[in-house]
Amino acid sequence: MDDKFASKFEIDILNKLLNKNFPYNLAVILKKIGGLDYRKKVFISGECIGVLEFDLIDLDWKFHPYASYYLIEEPKIKIKPTKRRLKGKKVPIDLIENSEELKGINENEYVGVEVGNYVGVAVNKEGKLKIKDLTLKREIKFEKIEDYLKKNKERIEKLERKSLSIIKRYYEKCKDKNWAINASFSGGKDSSVSTLLANKVISDLEVIFIDTGLEFKDTINFVKRFAKKYDLNLIVLKGKNFWEHLEKEGIPTKDYRWCNSVCKLEPLKEYLKRYKRVYTIDGSRRYESFTRGKLSYERKSGFIENQINIFPILDWKGTDVWSWIYLNDVIYNELYDKGFERIGCYMCPSALNAEFLRVKELYPELFNKWVDILKRFGYDEDEILRGFWRWKKLPPKMKELKKMLKNY
């Protein structure tokens, strides 16, 4: 699964939950894992210290510590050294040196423990501590992003050379065949990198941005600034009217994304009719999702007959993309610092629910506009706030959540 450096927003969340003061330049790496919504393992200097997730029941952020977290946090409970196997077991009260501390620990609450040369994490179960995991004591050295970049610079440069060679190969092919070649740009980090790499190879490269009419103003402003700074030949296409089609098609969902065709693919198809054949440089990466994991470097469009998409940064991970951006001092969309991972329409059903609720905090007028429409289409507040509206047919994990909420 994909990884990334923790954004300013995510650092703030961790600091709040853990009562820490991690600086923004600390190399905290987050790796996606399966879950109902946002759920990521948190790594510091290669050590996984726990899981950060957005809880769809409480609609709040939670941190679940691993044993390694207590390498950077003083364990609260001291346990006498013993030859007994403790992992996965409840600790007898006579082994706890400071048993009075148990009174302040709530049911199912995590707590750090220290046992001789080990530290670990335990959970309070019916007044008794159950050890979840233990790890040998050792020092964790906090690594800054700049140190990570120095260590990985050669590897990133190697990835860049491979990507440039892919672009050059297709560019030469297009020149020989007299076919067109352009780049797709969304205002996100991945297409920023693929576009700038392509711009190194192809002079006066046509860069296409599709304004769906549903983008954040931050993105529209960034696209203009990005194009000006890097002297791009930017073509802005206007998507068809989403609101007119909404009445006919209904709420767009993850399993019925009619909006993608109407707002993006149809205007693009119309524009690309001027070419016999066109190769489009796209910033998609295989680590983003299971679906994209099946991509090869070239794929014929299933919607636009004369278009073939190519993916020069297919093998890059999220940390590679950000490393290239930092190493080359490239500007990026500020929405990433505000808690958004997906740069696109403000109410995209494919975004995380944590992101949708972030819209509520930062852009209440946009959030309220969409909530009013969802209510008009029959969704209640619970279905809206917990993201049930994002599916036409609920997947098993969301059906299970509904059952849990009834008993909550």
Side-chain angles (χ1 to χ4, degrees):
M1 296 294 277
D2 208 12
D3 63 11
K4 65 186 285 282
F5 294 113
S7 67
K8 290 179 180 179
F9 173 76
E10 288 160 325
I11 291 289
D12 286 342
I13 292 292
L14 287 169
N15 282 337
K16 182 179 178 181
L17 292 174
L18 305 179
N19 195 26
K20 295 291 184 184
N21 192 28
F22 294 145
Y24 291 143
N25 66 345
L26 180 65
V28 178
I29 293 177
L30 305 173
K31 293 188 178 183
K32 275 186 188 178
I33 53 176
L36 287 174
D37 199 62
Y38 179 110
R39 193 161 181 258
K40 297 183 179 182
K41 287 185 176 181
V42 182
F43 289 82
I44 294 179
S45 298
E47 295 282 355
C48 183
I49 65 167
V51 171
L52 178 65
E53 75 168 345
F54 188 78
D55 189 323
L56 286 184
I57 293 179
D58 294 332
L59 295 180
D60 206 356
W61 292 93
K62 302 284 178 69
F63 180 77
H64 306 284
Y66 283 10
S68 295
Y69 173 63
Y70 296 97
L71 297 172
I72 62 171
E73 172 72 16
E74 183 68 25
K76 189 173 185 178
I77 302 297
K78 310 292 182 184
I79 299 175
K80 298 173 185 177
T82 177
K83 292 183 179 179
R84 297 186 193 180
R85 177 180 170 83
L86 294 177
K87 186 175 176 180
K89 306 291 184 181
K90 290 183 178 179
V91 182
I93 194 72
D94 62 299
L95 286 181
I96 300 176
E97 294 181 4
N98 54 344
S99 57
E100 68 280 0
E101 294 287 351
L102 295 175
K103 296 177 183 178
I105 304 171
N106 297 323
E107 179 73 8
N108 293 319
E109 183 180 344
Y110 294 110
V111 64
V113 297
E114 181 180 359
V115 192
N117 291 325
Y118 292 84
V119 292
V121 60
V123 64
N124 184 15
K125 290 288 186 183
E126 299 175 346
K128 291 187 177 181
L129 282 188
K130 184 176 181 179
I131 305 291
K132 290 180 67 67
D133 198 13
L134 294 169
T135 188
L136 194 64
K137 289 179 182 177
R138 57 196 179 279
E139 183 182 1
I140 289 185
K141 291 185 178 180
F142 289 84
E143 183 179 50
K144 294 180 179 179
I145 291 177
E146 62 187 73
D147 297 323
Y148 178 96
L149 296 178
K150 288 176 184 175
K151 192 167 67 178
N152 287 275
K153 189 171 185 290
E154 287 187 13
R155 186 178 60 79
I156 301 301
E157 288 174 345
K158 186 177 179 180
L159 280 173
E160 178 183 351
R161 288 193 297 272
K162 181 179 178 181
S163 296
L164 288 171
S165 70
I166 292 170
I167 295 168
K168 286 174 184 175
R169 184 169 76 247
Y170 281 100
Y171 179 48
E172 292 300 324
K173 180 178 181 178
C174 288
K175 279 202 302 184
D176 289 343
K177 301 284 188 178
N178 201 27
W179 292 333
I181 188 166
N182 58 25
S184 173
F185 181 50
S186 68
K189 68 183 191 308
D190 300 324
S191 62
S192 292
V193 172
S194 59
T195 295
L196 290 182
L197 289 175
N199 209 41
K200 284 187 175 187
V201 176
I202 306 164
S203 59
D204 200 33
L205 173 72
E206 184 181 67
V207 177
I208 298 176
F209 171 74
I210 303 172
D211 182 359
T212 62
L214 304 168
E215 312 291 329
F216 291 101
K217 285 184 179 178
D218 311 59
T219 297
I220 299 298
N221 294 335
F222 170 74
V223 167
K224 293 175 182 176
R225 189 160 62 96
F226 190 86
K228 184 177 180 181
K229 181 175 177 64
Y230 299 108
D231 193 26
L232 301 179
N233 175 20
L234 183 68
I235 305 295
V236 178
L237 304 180
K238 293 289 184 181
K240 291 188 177 181
N241 192 305
F242 171 83
W243 306 108
E244 289 179 3
H245 286 79
L246 176 66
E247 299 305 319
K248 176 186 174 184
E249 302 289 349
I251 299 298
T253 59
K254 290 172 73 115
D255 46 349
Y256 182 49
R257 286 182 63 194
W258 60 263
C259 51
N260 191 52
S261 299
V262 168
C263 298
K264 290 186 176 182
L265 294 179
E266 287 182 13
L268 181 60
K269 183 178 183 178
E270 186 65 29
Y271 179 78
L272 295 181
K273 280 182 179 178
R274 67 193 64 200
Y275 303 119
K276 182 180 179 181
R277 178 174 290 192
V278 58
Y279 280 75
T280 297
I281 295 160
D282 185 298
S284 296
R285 299 179 295 107
R286 70 169 80 250
Y287 295 101
E288 292 179 273
S289 65
F290 290 114
T291 303
R292 291 188 176 181
K294 299 173 184 177
L295 285 175
S296 56
Y297 294 109
E298 174 184 321
R299 183 183 67 178
K300 193 178 187 309
S301 171
F303 190 87
I304 302 173
E305 190 176 342
N306 61 327
Q307 185 192 41
I308 296 170
N309 293 295
I310 54 176
F311 311 105
I313 63 168
L314 183 66
D315 300 321
W316 295 35
K317 288 191 172 184
T319 44
D320 300 330
V321 171
W322 282 111
S323 294
W324 192 88
I325 287 171
Y326 293 148
L327 284 167
N328 292 279
D329 198 25
V330 171
I331 62 172
Y332 61 87
N333 196 321
E334 292 179 358
L335 287 172
Y336 286 114
D337 287 336
K338 295 180 179 181
F340 295 93
E341 292 192 28
R342 188 182 186 89
I343 302 300
C345 304
Y346 73 86
M347 69 322 192
C348 179
S350 292
L352 295 169
N353 201 57
E355 293 175 277
F356 180 57
L357 295 182
R358 190 71 175 138
V359 177
K360 180 183 180 182
E361 295 175 19
L362 298 176
Y363 308 94
E365 70 287 352
L366 294 177
F367 180 84
N368 291 332
K369 179 180 180 179
W370 187 239
V371 166
D372 289 343
I373 288 168
L374 289 173
K375 286 181 177 178
R376 181 159 62 82
F377 274 84
Y379 293 96
D380 62 34
E381 189 171 357
D382 195 55
E383 290 174 315
I384 294 169
L385 293 180
R386 289 182 169 81
F388 291 106
W389 65 270
R390 297 184 299 139
W391 286 271
K392 200 175 184 73
K393 183 180 179 182
L394 289 179
K397 64 178 183 179
M398 296 304 288
K399 288 180 180 177
E400 186 62 31
L401 176 63
K402 275 209 164 185
K403 289 181 183 177
M404 292 168 65
L405 287 167
K406 286 180 181 178
N407 301 320
Y408 187 60

